[in-house]
Amino acid sequence: MLAIQVDDDGKATPDSAPMPGVGLLGMRERVTALGGRLRAEPRSEGGFTVQAELPVDQTS
């Protein structure tokens, strides 16, 4: 399993609604198509975090 986490220190807060768009939707579709999982949410200290877990082919 390959785990990736990206945190930013942007303007998102836990009590704010995410801005509309297709960025997260597109990421989720791609990660799911590869058999992985995606989690995205505001961070308690402000900003946003995106975590993806992707399966890795062990035969390579």
Side-chain angles (χ1 to χ4, degrees):
M1 182 75 54
L2 171 66
I4 302 166
Q5 178 172 326
V6 177
D7 297 323
D8 79 5
D9 59 356
K11 298 177 182 178
T13 60
D15 58 345
S16 67
M19 294 294 290
V22 295
L24 290 175
L25 178 60
M27 283 190 273
R28 186 172 312 281
E29 288 174 350
R30 287 169 178 83
V31 168
T32 301
L34 293 171
R37 297 184 311 200
L38 183 81
R39 189 176 124 217
E41 61 192 16
R43 300 185 322 147
S44 60
E45 60 272 8
F48 213 77
T49 187
V50 178
Q51 299 171 338
E53 293 181 354
L54 302 167
V56 178
D57 182 1
Q58 298 295 322
T59 61
S60 302

